[in-house]
Short mmCIF file of all heavy atoms in Angstrom, two decimals:
data_model
loop_
_atom_site.label_atom_id
_atom_site.label_comp_id
_atom_site.label_asym_id
_atom_site.label_seq_id
_atom_site.Cartn_x
_atom_site.Cartn_y
_atom_site.Cartn_z
N GLU A 129 -5.08 12.94 -3.21
CA GLU A 129 -6.16 11.96 -3.31
C GLU A 129 -7.56 12.54 -3.39
O GLU A 129 -8.40 12.05 -4.05
CB GLU A 129 -6.12 11.01 -2.07
CG GLU A 129 -4.94 10.17 -2.08
CD GLU A 129 -4.88 9.19 -3.29
OE1 GLU A 129 -5.86 8.59 -3.62
OE2 GLU A 129 -3.80 9.11 -3.90
N TYR A 136 -11.59 10.06 -10.62
CA TYR A 136 -12.10 8.73 -10.97
C TYR A 136 -13.61 8.78 -11.18
O TYR A 136 -14.14 8.23 -12.18
CB TYR A 136 -11.87 7.72 -9.82
CG TYR A 136 -10.42 7.50 -9.42
CD1 TYR A 136 -10.12 7.14 -8.08
CD2 TYR A 136 -9.40 7.62 -10.26
CE1 TYR A 136 -8.90 6.88 -7.67
CE2 TYR A 136 -8.10 7.33 -9.90
CZ TYR A 136 -7.83 6.99 -8.54
OH TYR A 136 -6.57 6.80 -8.15
N GLU A 150 -15.42 1.96 -18.40
CA GLU A 150 -14.16 1.22 -18.62
C GLU A 150 -12.99 2.07 -18.43
O GLU A 150 -11.97 1.67 -17.66
CB GLU A 150 -14.15 0.67 -20.03
CG GLU A 150 -13.09 -0.35 -20.28
CD GLU A 150 -13.01 -0.77 -21.74
OE1 GLU A 150 -14.12 -1.01 -22.26
OE2 GLU A 150 -11.96 -0.89 -22.28
N LEU A 153 -12.43 2.70 -14.64
CA LEU A 153 -11.77 1.52 -13.94
C LEU A 153 -10.34 1.48 -14.24
O LEU A 153 -9.59 1.29 -13.33
CB LEU A 153 -12.53 0.24 -14.39
CG LEU A 153 -12.24 -0.94 -13.53
CD1 LEU A 153 -12.77 -0.70 -12.17
CD2 LEU A 153 -12.90 -2.21 -14.08
N LEU A 167 3.19 6.61 -1.80
CA LEU A 167 3.05 6.57 -0.33
C LEU A 167 4.26 5.76 0.21
O LEU A 167 4.78 6.12 1.31
CB LEU A 167 1.75 5.84 0.03
CG LEU A 167 1.09 6.13 1.39
CD1 LEU A 167 1.09 7.64 1.54
CD2 LEU A 167 -0.23 5.53 1.31
N SER A 171 7.01 7.09 2.90
CA SER A 171 7.38 6.39 4.17
C SER A 171 8.95 6.31 4.22
O SER A 171 9.47 6.38 5.33
CB SER A 171 6.72 5.05 4.24
OG SER A 171 7.47 4.11 3.60
N TYR A 174 10.35 9.70 5.09
CA TYR A 174 10.08 9.89 6.53
C TYR A 174 11.03 9.08 7.37
O TYR A 174 11.63 9.63 8.34
CB TYR A 174 8.67 9.58 6.81
CG TYR A 174 8.31 9.52 8.25
CD1 TYR A 174 8.29 10.69 9.04
CD2 TYR A 174 7.97 8.32 8.92
CE1 TYR A 174 8.02 10.60 10.40
CE2 TYR A 174 7.62 8.26 10.22
CZ TYR A 174 7.62 9.41 10.98
OH TYR A 174 7.37 9.41 12.23
N THR A 180 8.17 15.02 7.90
CA THR A 180 7.31 15.05 6.72
C THR A 180 7.15 16.42 6.14
O THR A 180 6.64 16.54 5.00
CB THR A 180 5.90 14.48 6.92
OG1 THR A 180 5.34 15.16 7.98
CG2 THR A 180 5.95 12.96 7.19
N ILE B 28 -10.87 -8.34 -11.43
CA ILE B 28 -10.66 -6.98 -10.87
C ILE B 28 -10.89 -6.93 -9.42
O ILE B 28 -10.24 -6.16 -8.67
CB ILE B 28 -11.62 -6.02 -11.64
CG1 ILE B 28 -11.26 -5.86 -13.06
CG2 ILE B 28 -11.50 -4.60 -11.07
CD1 ILE B 28 -12.22 -5.31 -14.00
N SER B 45 5.21 -0.13 7.25
CA SER B 45 6.57 0.56 7.17
C SER B 45 6.44 1.95 7.87
O SER B 45 7.39 2.28 8.69
CB SER B 45 6.97 0.71 5.71
OG SER B 45 7.34 1.94 5.33
N SER B 55 8.58 9.36 16.84
CA SER B 55 7.94 10.57 16.31
C SER B 55 6.54 10.16 15.95
O SER B 55 6.24 9.04 15.46
CB SER B 55 8.68 11.05 15.13
OG SER B 55 7.82 11.19 14.00
N THR B 57 4.47 11.66 13.79
CA THR B 57 3.94 12.12 12.45
C THR B 57 3.58 10.83 11.62
O THR B 57 2.58 10.92 10.94
CB THR B 57 5.05 12.88 11.71
OG1 THR B 57 5.81 13.55 12.74
CG2 THR B 57 4.43 13.80 10.75
N GLY B 58 4.35 9.86 11.64
CA GLY B 58 4.10 8.62 10.86
C GLY B 58 2.76 8.03 11.15
O GLY B 58 2.01 7.64 10.32
N THR B 65 -3.98 7.56 5.72
CA THR B 65 -3.85 6.56 4.66
C THR B 65 -5.00 5.54 4.69
O THR B 65 -5.54 5.20 3.65
CB THR B 65 -2.56 5.80 4.81
OG1 THR B 65 -1.51 6.63 5.18
CG2 THR B 65 -2.16 5.08 3.51
N GLU B 72 -10.84 5.13 -1.62
CA GLU B 72 -10.42 4.72 -3.02
C GLU B 72 -11.02 3.37 -3.43
O GLU B 72 -11.53 3.25 -4.52
CB GLU B 72 -8.86 4.62 -3.02
CG GLU B 72 -8.29 4.72 -4.36
CD GLU B 72 -6.92 5.43 -4.30
OE1 GLU B 72 -6.44 5.67 -3.21
OE2 GLU B 72 -6.43 5.77 -5.45
N LEU B 95 -12.15 -6.21 -21.03
CA LEU B 95 -12.56 -4.79 -21.12
C LEU B 95 -11.59 -4.11 -22.16
O LEU B 95 -10.59 -3.54 -21.71
CB LEU B 95 -12.41 -4.20 -19.79
CG LEU B 95 -13.36 -4.67 -18.62
CD1 LEU B 95 -12.99 -4.10 -17.34
CD2 LEU B 95 -14.81 -4.36 -19.04
N THR B 97 -12.86 -2.22 -25.20
CA THR B 97 -13.57 -1.58 -26.19
C THR B 97 -12.89 -0.31 -26.73
O THR B 97 -13.16 0.16 -27.75
CB THR B 97 -14.95 -1.13 -25.76
OG1 THR B 97 -14.90 -0.42 -24.52
CG2 THR B 97 -15.88 -2.37 -25.43
#
Side-chain angles (χ1 to χ4, degrees):
Chain A
E129 290 298 314
Y136 300 150
E150 189 185 319
L153 195 61
L167 207 50
S171 87
Y174 169 67
T180 54
Chain B
I28 295 165
S45 126
S55 127
T57 329
T65 320
E72 200 145 12
L95 297 172
T97 55

